[in-house]
């Protein structure tokens, strides 16, 4: 099983970044893919989640209206398009995969996710 994040970097406030999570080694259609972030000294925060099998999506309150999640089932890739970035969005962003039947009970709960990527740094300069 492998989840590989890419697309992080540094951007000025108000800018955009596109994160990708490429999945392999498990039945993609049975899993929901979530994005979480963790800033230094803070707990891991649920950012967004998508279930490709039923179109379910979740967004944390702090990113609603600014981030968009999408899934390419053929490529087994989930993309998080981040716009209007703020300095408080600075964190390491992780993608996780959890069985859809469990994740739908609480998409922002990291305990419901089984597999994790290594993370990618996003830095938003003010």
């Amino acid at each position: 099983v492998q989840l590989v994040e890419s697309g992080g970097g540094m951007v000025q406030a108000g800018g955009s970044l596109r994160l990708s999570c490429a999945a392999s080694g498990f039945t993609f259609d049975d899993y929901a893919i979530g994005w979480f972030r963790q800033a230094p000294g803070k707990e891991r925060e649920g950012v967004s989640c998508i279930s490709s099998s039923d179109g379910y999506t979740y967004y944390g309150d702090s990113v609603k209206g600014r981030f968009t999640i999408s899934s390419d089932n053929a490529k087994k890739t989930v993309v998080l398009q981040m716009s209007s970035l703020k300095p408080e969005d600075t964190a390491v962003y992780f993608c996780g995969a959890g069985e859809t039947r469990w994740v739908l009970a609480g998409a922002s709960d990291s305990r419901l996710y089984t597999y994790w990527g290594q993370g990618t740094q996003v830095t938003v300069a003010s």
Side-chain angles (χ1 to χ4, degrees), residues 28-105:
F28 189 76
D29 290 349
D30 291 342
Y31 282 74
I33 304 295
W35 283 98
F36 288 74
R37 65 188 182 187
Q38 189 163 19
K42 295 188 177 181
E43 294 185 355
R44 189 167 293 195
E45 174 192 6
V47 173
S48 185
C49 174
I50 188 167
S51 168
S52 60
S53 61
D54 59 11
Y56 168 83
T57 58
Y58 160 84
Y59 295 96
D61 288 341
S62 61
V63 306
K64 283 180 181 177
R66 300 189 298 121
F67 291 10
T68 302
I69 193 168
S70 60
S71 177
D72 184 334
N73 291 3
K75 296 182 178 179
K76 297 184 180 180
T77 298
V78 170
V79 170
L80 184 69
Q81 179 66 46
M82 306 186 296
S83 303
S84 302
L85 283 163
K86 305 174 182 179
E88 51 263 45
D89 293 319
T90 295
V92 178
Y93 283 69
F94 300 88
C95 67
E99 289 188 52
T100 301
R101 54 179 174 164
W102 306 126
V103 170
L104 289 180

Side-chain angles (χ1 to χ4, degrees), residues 8-24:
M10 180 178 288
V11 66
Q12 293 293 318
S16 299
L17 279 175
R18 183 176 182 268
L19 303 183
S20 293
C21 175
S24 62

